[in-house]
Every structure is written in C-alpha cells, then in structure tokens.
Amino acid sequence: MAPRVLISTFGFDETKVLRALRWLPYDSLVLLAGGKSLRGPGLRRLRAAERAGGGTVEIVAVDPFDFPSCFRGTLDAIERHRRAGAEVRVNVSGGTKVLADAALLASFQAGVEAWHCEDRPLRLPVLRGVTLTDDLTPVRKAVLAAVGRPLPATKVADRVRLAGFSEAAVQAAINWLRLREFVTVEVRGGVAIVSRNPRTAWFVRSLL
Amino acid sequence: MTVLFGTLGWRPQSLMPSIKSTEGLELVVFYHSAHEKSRAARSRVAEFCSTLGVAVTPVELSDAFDLLEIAGRIRQDVLRVRREGQGPARFNIAGGTRLMSSAALLVCVLEGIPTTYVHDETFKEIQLPLIHMDYADHLSERQREILAYLVAHRERPPSETSLAKALGVHKSTMNHHVKELVAKGVVEVAADPKDTRAHLVRAAPGAELLVG
C-alpha cells in the first residue's frame, strides 16, 4: 500500500491538526506553516505528540499572509510526495485564511482530496486525480511557452508550427487559453498581441 | 456593468477595497453570518454602497459553518446573475468564516470567476491566480447522468441494480461507471443496512456542485 501523507495547514492551535489526525488515516505528517507559529508552543506540542507515536513532522515554511508563497509551498509538497509514490491528502483547518484558501486551491488544481476538519470532517467535492495540467495539451503548452514575452499571434503560430502543429490547432489553443485567462490577446495597431495573463503568469510558469 | 460578490466577517474593510476598485459596479451581493458584529459590518457596507448609488443585496447565512450549503447558495446566486445578464462577476473572498471563504473559492473555481483577496493587515487587494476548472468535462455524459440521478435521489439512495434499471443501462455497464465515479471520489458505495448482500450507491457530499 502506498504511504499516506497528510499535508495540513497550521497556525498556532494544534487541536485543529490533531482533529484531522484523528479522522484521516496517515503515515506521515507535513505542516504548512510560517511566521511566529514556527516558534509557538502549539508546534512543539504537535512534534512531541508525533514523536510519541513514532513519527516525525515535516515543516514547509511559507509566508502565511502571502498567497503565492502558500500556494507554491502546498503545490510543491503535494508534487514531491506524489512523485515519491505517496497517497496525498490536504487538510485546510489550521493557519490563516490565506494559507487555507491557497492550500485549497492547490489541492483543486493538483486533483488531491481536500478536507476541512472542524466540528466534523468534510471532504470537499473535488474530482480525485483530475488536475489542471490534464487540460494542457502539447499544443497549448507550446503556445504558453512561446509567449514568455508578448508576441503577435502570427509569430506565435510561426513558432509553434515549427514543433509540428497546424495553424488551426495553434489558433484554437490560443482561444482556449484566452477563455481560461492563461493568456490575454490585445489588438495594438491592428495587430493581435498574445501575452501571458499577468494575473496567472507566475502560476503558469509552474505548469511548464 | 459588474456584479461584485463578497464574503463579509466583522470587518467591512475586507470588502471595501473591492467596492472601490471595481469598474462599472452595478450591484454588490455579499454573504455574512447572523453574528451581531457581522450585522454591524453589513450596515456599514450597505451604507457605503448607498452613498455611491450602488445596489446592494446582503445575504444573511443561517449557518456560517456549513460549507456545502453556503457553496450551494452562492452558486445559485451566481448562476441567476448570469442568466439575467447582469454583467461580469468578480468575487472578494477575504471576509467571513474560513468555511464561507472556502465555499466562495470553490464556486469561483467551478464557475471561473475572477477572485480577489484583501490582505488582513494592509487591506491591499490581491488578485488570485484562479483558473477555471470544468470538472464536468472530465465526466462522460453517462457519468454526469448517473451523478445527477444520485443527487436527485440523495434521500433514498438506490442499489446498483435499481440504478441500472432506472437509467436503462446494463448491470455490468453500470458497475463499470460506478467504479469510475468512486475512483474519482464523487460517489460512495456502502452496504444496505436492510440487506447485507446489497450495496447502496450515493452521491458524495457536495457532488451537486459538480453537476450544476
């Protein structure tokens, strides 16, 4: 059986994580935490509890008020443990709301189970195993890679065609990416310019 | 014209920056709990909107900790606004309980709504890198049909055999679909308490959000 890894958001109150540990089966625990909570008594108590149970706690340090930091931290932890063959679950009951929301979004996009363990455990409705990258076909990836800098749509087509894709496929890919806000298309001086959407650009980089 | 949705807690400052920054704001729909402090925050937001001449619809939630009910309510409102063609929507998920915020985030992911957050200390608005995930695309037409049936019959979950009969599908085909839906985590199979040889098939909590 694959090892079960529970990735949990954590603030100061260890009871929120302990509730998840009681409800969700796990073999090892990863905490997403940052700031003062890394020096708090809650973490010391949690570590002691895990030690008593023969386990250890892996800490992923994030800035709990910075969404990209929390999102990347969660996504990296999920991917690292999945690559190692683990079955990953995420619990978002602890820590700041920013951290919980970022961890939740990372879980949706990575297709792993996300749980809220407050009064009772609640699994969020996510299609297990369905990830955002499933929708990124090779031609869509090629377009995203080509528009690292803003480019006229015709040049994007020229570049991506070199990789063996038809112009129609490239146009369809640009349209798909525009509708999902991966890229923006602006007409400047009569020319359609394709760029990565600044709102999602940092995230797109992690997909390529 | 834009419709701004938001979750509100005790601090009106968590929603105000989005009201100020939304271009062509026509309507603000926000969700808050029945707590006295949330009601006070509601009054301040409503007063501000009224000063700006922007329509406002505050929605008091009966349970600010019931994630699935909140998500269902928000999604219903978002779909209504879309149907009525009231313009593009955006969502500020900064305020309210953690479960209100998560419910709103879930709806934003499913519906592809641009989402913002307001920093707890600086009150600066942050755009979230949220990308629409169309889960329905990852279910076959038959799987969506099965899920919709199970959601509609949540109170009396059918056995696999009666499910196959109801949808006019061969038993073995239904078994295949049910296995796939279980693997995707949207359907659960449990022993029938009245007949230990039979199994009941039910939609997982919140599955209705995936079938619209």
Side-chain angles (χ1 to χ4, degrees), chain B residues 74-84 111 212:
Chain B
I74 294 175
R75 193 174 205 203
Q76 195 185 323
D77 291 347
V78 165
L79 294 177
R80 184 174 41 75
V81 159
R82 280 202 180 142
R83 264 198 316 273
E84 292 168 1
E111 294 299 330

Side-chain angles (χ1 to χ4, degrees), chain A residues 93-112:
Chain A
S93 315
T96 62
K97 218 155 40 172
V98 175
L99 174 56
D101 283 338
L104 196 54
L105 188 57
S107 310
F108 288 146
Q109 299 196 346
V112 301

Side-chain angles (χ1 to χ4, degrees), chain A residues 104-192:
Chain A
L104 196 54
L105 188 57
S107 310
F108 288 146
Q109 299 196 346
V112 301
E113 280 184 16
W115 292 77
H116 257 291
C117 296
E118 302 280 338
D119 295 338
R120 57 185 194 278
L122 171 70
R123 185 165 73 78
L124 284 133
V126 175
L127 279 192
R128 197 184 291 142
V130 172
T131 73
L132 186 66
T133 45
D134 291 346
D135 286 334
L136 286 185
T137 57
V139 63
R140 289 170 188 163
K141 273 194 175 176
V143 169
L144 278 177
V147 295
R149 283 185 304 123
L151 275 184
T154 48
K155 285 214 167 146
V156 177
D158 288 346
R159 285 195 185 181
V160 178
R161 268 209 311 265
L162 291 176
F165 299 105
S166 71
E167 184 161 353
V170 177
Q171 289 307 329
I174 292 175
N175 201 34
W176 187 93
L177 293 165
R178 182 182 60 80
L179 289 173
R180 280 152 184 86
E181 300 191 43
F182 284 88
V183 300
T184 56
V185 180
E186 272 181 281
V187 179
R188 290 184 217 152
V191 178

Side-chain angles (χ1 to χ4, degrees), chain B residues 159-188:
Chain B
S159 68
E160 209 171 288
T161 312
S162 51
L163 181 61
K165 262 190 206 158
L167 296 178
V169 177
H170 192 273
K171 264 198 316 190
S172 58
T173 311
M174 181 56 77
N175 180 261
H176 165 78
H177 287 311
V178 167
K179 274 186 182 159
E180 289 215 333
L181 289 167
V182 168
K184 285 177 176 167
V186 287
V187 156
E188 295 165 352

Side-chain angles (χ1 to χ4, degrees), chain A residues 65 67 92-98 100-101 104-105 108-109 116 123-128 130 135 182 199 202-203, chain B residues 67 93-96 98-99 101-102 105-106 109 117 119 127-129 131 133 135 138 182-186 206 210:
Chain A
F65 295 100
F67 197 94
V92 297
S93 315
T96 62
K97 218 155 40 172
V98 175
D101 283 338
L104 196 54
L105 188 57
F108 288 146
Q109 299 196 346
H116 257 291
R123 185 165 73 78
L124 284 133
V126 175
L127 279 192
R128 197 184 291 142
V130 172
D135 286 334
F182 284 88
R199 200 164 63 77
W202 67 265
F203 170 68
Chain B
L67 186 145
I93 64 164
R98 181 187 298 265
L99 291 136
S101 182
S102 295
L105 180 66
L106 176 63
V109 169
Y117 208 91
H119 196 285
Q127 298 279 335
L128 298 194
I131 289 166
M133 299 218 29
Y135 285 116
H138 297 275
V182 168
K184 285 177 176 167
V186 287
L210 301 177

